[in-house]
């Protein structure tokens, strides 16, 4: 793995000052490394995979790649879309949020090593090539919004505030959280992952008080109620640990 | 606590200006009327100041009471195990990412606590404080039907800041005031927490539900 393939070139435009900079590397990630990653988490925007070559994109050093597709456009219910938009990820000597606009910095992606996703070299990968066990990191909600802010600006020079980007993705992100929680409990109780996901899909699409739970997630004020229902359902099925 | 009261009243009555004899039916002397209105204005200003100071006194008193109550409840909750505290927050509807954020740890670290791994006394206290806050608000603010939802929803539509964000920055005092003080406006709460919120969150974009059913963004003036 070289140390320079994701470095900014002289032709790269700098990132505008209006783009968001996280306070700390920890703010970017939900999970990093095998100790933290869980296979029950559905594949999602911001997931970084090892051993993955993006067709048509040259020299993704070390063959790391990150999903950059929007959460709403990369899924068909519980299933992934057939092809997923991804960016190559390579090592990066110095992380600067004011550096190249075409890079999404990934500081300390692995212990003591900085990486960056190259947003100008996007390509599509067949969904069946994405394996949960090959993930090396998952971005946090904030990390996903920051990724999309840079991607939008890189492609269009338009700066959209991170809170607004977060708002649009939030229903899907919360649904993924709920699915992860459901599958963790179900799998711990001996249910196969595919069956657990199918049962979650049925539950989240079911109507409750005249509205589908999935639709209710579009209102933030409803999130806590849906989470409580999930806990109650896990207990009813005998899957909850406590 | 110091409480200031006033019995001052301001009235225009016949006792103040009662025309008699040849002056009956004539307008009051201009100078006297000006003086009278000026006095009333002074009294009104004084009343407003007294009212303002009294409101501040009450707010400080309430803040103190809520702080004491929160501390008492926190000490009670801290007797429970870390896994019990964490799981009770989950059952109440908290997102794990929020619990982790409030406790100052990662989601994986929080998961380990839920599975029974020990936490430091300081971290246990952080969880206990969140449990205590929910208990206090449920006890003291019956108009807040779903405390976790209330914590998650932004204080104003114009800014994304929620009480949960304030808690993450250890502003339990501000969240308690927002919950209990119906005279303090949401704008005043945000002014205290994040004075530049108006400039910081000014946006040309708004969210809307697209024809595909997903939330989307558009320029504010592009609505048709």
């Amino acid at each position: 793995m070289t140390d320079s393939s994701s470095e900014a070139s002289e032709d790269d435009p700098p990132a505008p000052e209006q783009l968001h900079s996280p306070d700390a590397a920890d703010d970017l990630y939900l999970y990093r490394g095998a100790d933290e990653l869980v296979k029950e988490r559905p594949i999602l925007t911001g997931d970084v995979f090892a051993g993955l070559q993006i067709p048509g994109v040259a020299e993704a050093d070390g063959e790391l790649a990150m999903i950059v597709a929007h959460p709403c456009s990369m899924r068909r219910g519980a299933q992934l879309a057939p092809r997923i938009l991804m960016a190559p990820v390579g090592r990066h000597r110095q992380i600067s949020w004011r550096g190249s606009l075409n890079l999404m910095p990934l500081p300390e992606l692995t212990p003591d090593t900085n990486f960056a996703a190259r947003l100008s070299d996007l390509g599509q990968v067949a969904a069946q090539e994405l394996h949960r066990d090959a993930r090396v990191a998952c971005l946090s909600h904030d990390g996903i919004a920051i990724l999309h802010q840079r991607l939008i600006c890189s492609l269009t020079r338009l700066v959209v505030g991170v809170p607004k980007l977060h708002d649009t993705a939030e229903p899907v992100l919360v649904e993924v959280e709920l699915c992860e929680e459901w599958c963790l409990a179900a799998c711990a109780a001996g249910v196969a992952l595919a069956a657990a996901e199918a049962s979650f899909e049925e539950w989240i699409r079911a109507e409750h008080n005249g509205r589908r739970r999935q639709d209710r997630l579009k209102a933030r004020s409803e999130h806590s109620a849906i989470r409580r229902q999930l806990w109650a359902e896990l207990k009813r099925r005998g899957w909850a640990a406590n | 606590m110091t409480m200031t009261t006033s019995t001052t009243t301001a009235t225009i009555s016949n006792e103040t200006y009662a025309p008699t004899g040849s002056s009956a039916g004539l307008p009051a002397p201009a100078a006297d009327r000006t003086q009278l209105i000026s006095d009333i204005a002074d009294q009104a200003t004084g009343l407003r100041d007294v009212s303002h100071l009294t409101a501040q006194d009450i707010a400080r008193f309430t803040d103190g009471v809520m702080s004491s109550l929160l501390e008492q409840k926190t000490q009670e909750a801290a007797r429970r195990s870390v896994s019990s505290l964490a799981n009770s927050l989950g059952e109440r509807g908290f997102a794990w990412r929020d619990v982790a954020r409030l406790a100052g740890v990662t989601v994986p670290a929080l998961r380990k606590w839920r599975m029974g791994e020990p936490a430091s006394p300081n971290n246990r206290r952080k969880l206990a404080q969140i449990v205590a806050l929910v208990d206090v608000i449920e006890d003291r603010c019956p108009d807040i039907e779903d405390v976790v939802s209330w914590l998650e929803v932004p204080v104003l539509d114009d800014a994304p800041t929620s009480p949960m964000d304030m808690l993450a920055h250890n502003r339990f005092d501000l969240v308690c005031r927002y919950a209990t003080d119906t005279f303090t406006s949401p704008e005043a709460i945000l002014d205290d927490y994040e004075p530049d919120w108006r400039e910081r969150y000014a946006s040309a974009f708004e969210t809307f539900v697209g024809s595909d059913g997903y939330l989307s963004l558009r320029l504010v003036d592009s609505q048709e």
Side-chain angles (χ1 to χ4, degrees):
Chain A
M1 186 184 291
T2 66
D3 264 11
S4 60
S5 66
S6 282
E7 299 291 340
S9 77
E10 291 182 358
D11 296 332
D12 276 356
E17 289 181 1
Q18 291 82 359
L19 293 186
H20 187 79
S21 304
D23 294 333
D26 286 350
D27 295 345
L28 277 180
Y29 305 103
L30 177 65
Y31 301 129
R32 273 178 293 179
D35 290 347
E36 295 188 352
L37 286 155
V38 289
K39 69 178 188 307
E40 289 83 357
R41 178 173 174 79
I43 290 172
L44 188 65
T45 309
D47 287 0
V48 181
F49 293 81
L52 193 66
Q53 184 71 42
I54 304 173
V57 174
E59 297 179 13
D61 60 24
E63 297 181 342
L64 291 180
M66 183 170 72
I67 296 176
V68 299
H70 194 273
C72 302
S73 62
M74 63 171 284
R75 308 188 73 83
R76 305 282 185 272
Q79 304 299 315
L80 292 175
R83 299 179 69 76
I84 306 294
L85 191 64
M86 303 192 73
V89 173
R91 292 194 185 197
H92 203 67
R93 290 194 195 97
Q94 287 186 317
I95 291 293
S96 169
W97 292 95
R98 296 285 168 260
S100 170
L101 174 58
N102 292 329
L103 295 179
M104 168 64 185
L106 298 169
E108 301 168 34
L109 178 65
T110 61
D112 303 323
T113 308
N114 300 322
F115 287 76
R118 187 152 193 92
L119 304 178
S120 55
D121 289 334
L122 305 180
Q124 289 192 312
V125 173
Q128 63 262 30
E129 297 294 319
L130 302 178
H131 302 291
R132 296 177 191 223
D133 292 342
R135 283 184 292 196
V136 298
C138 299
L139 292 190
S140 65
H141 289 193
D142 284 348
I144 291 170
I146 291 169
L147 163 66
H148 279 146
Q149 186 188 50
R150 293 184 83 86
L151 181 61
I152 292 168
C153 194
S154 170
L155 295 174
T156 67
R157 303 296 302 181
L158 181 68
V159 177
V160 183
V162 162
K164 290 293 182 191
L165 292 169
H166 184 265
D167 285 349
T168 61
E170 188 176 42
V172 178
L173 300 183
V174 172
E175 183 178 330
V176 166
E177 279 181 341
L178 295 172
C179 183
E180 177 184 337
E181 193 63 26
W182 179 286
C183 292
L184 278 166
C187 292
V191 179
L193 181 55
E197 285 192 326
S199 61
F200 172 78
E201 187 70 8
E202 185 180 349
W203 180 82
I204 196 71
R205 286 170 177 266
E207 287 196 356
H208 186 263
N209 291 337
R211 288 179 62 205
R212 294 199 317 170
R213 294 186 178 94
Q214 195 173 40
D215 292 336
R216 292 175 61 189
L217 289 178
K218 288 173 186 165
R220 188 176 295 170
S221 58
E222 302 256 24
H223 293 179
S224 57
I226 303 292
R227 288 192 205 101
R228 284 193 294 272
Q229 288 178 25
L230 182 134
W231 272 83
E233 181 64 16
L234 293 179
K235 280 189 172 179
R236 191 187 71 80
R237 293 177 183 237
W239 294 348
N242 61 329
Chain B
M1 185 183 77
T2 58
M3 298 282 278
T4 311
T5 59
S6 172
T7 57
T8 309
T9 57
T11 56
I12 300 177
S13 68
N14 287 337
E15 289 178 15
T16 310
Y17 178 70
T20 57
S22 61
S23 66
L26 296 177
D32 289 348
R33 180 176 289 277
T34 302
Q35 184 66 45
L36 186 65
I37 293 174
S38 175
D39 288 345
I40 293 170
D42 287 346
Q43 290 170 358
T45 302
L47 278 173
R48 189 180 59 195
D49 291 346
V50 168
S51 170
H52 183 63
L53 290 170
T54 304
Q56 286 184 333
D57 285 344
I58 292 172
R60 273 194 292 270
F61 178 69
T62 308
D63 285 354
V65 170
M66 291 297 283
S67 176
S68 299
L69 203 52
L70 186 61
E71 178 57 29
Q72 179 191 342
K73 292 273 188 182
T74 299
Q75 288 182 14
E76 289 172 13
R79 295 175 188 152
R80 296 164 58 184
S81 69
V82 169
S83 62
S84 166
L85 291 167
N87 286 320
S88 78
L89 291 170
E91 288 189 43
R92 288 177 177 215
F94 275 87
W96 294 126
R97 71 187 131 77
D98 278 331
V99 178
R101 186 164 62 120
L102 300 187
V105 299
T106 63
V107 170
L110 176 63
R111 181 172 294 130
K112 289 177 182 174
W113 293 351
R114 290 168 53 204
M115 303 302 288
E117 285 200 16
S120 70
N122 188 44
N123 284 329
R124 181 207 297 250
R125 181 180 164 77
K126 286 179 179 174
L127 290 185
Q129 195 175 22
I130 307 167
V131 170
L133 178 85
V134 176
D135 286 344
V136 168
I137 294 178
E138 280 180 351
D139 287 348
R140 308 297 302 175
C141 310
D143 55 319
I144 299 176
E145 293 181 6
D146 183 342
V147 175
V148 180
S149 174
W150 178 83
L151 289 170
E152 286 187 321
V153 173
V155 171
L156 283 174
D157 288 342
D158 296 338
T161 308
S162 67
M164 198 78 80
D165 297 321
M166 297 176 192
L167 294 181
H169 289 88
N170 210 28
R171 291 302 306 270
F172 283 74
D173 61 322
L174 209 50
V175 173
C176 286
R177 192 183 310 161
Y178 181 45
T180 57
D181 184 356
T182 53
F183 293 105
T184 302
S185 68
E187 287 85 354
I189 295 290
L190 279 183
D191 286 343
D192 190 329
Y193 175 71
E194 211 169 19
D196 65 342
W197 64 271
R198 290 177 181 82
E199 299 78 28
R200 180 182 294 202
Y201 299 122
S203 176
F205 296 92
E206 64 181 358
T207 55
F208 70 103
V209 179
S211 57
D212 58 359
Y214 287 108
L215 291 179
S216 308
L217 286 177
R218 65 185 171 199
L219 286 168
V220 172
D221 60 4
S222 67
Q223 188 174 2
E224 295 178 1

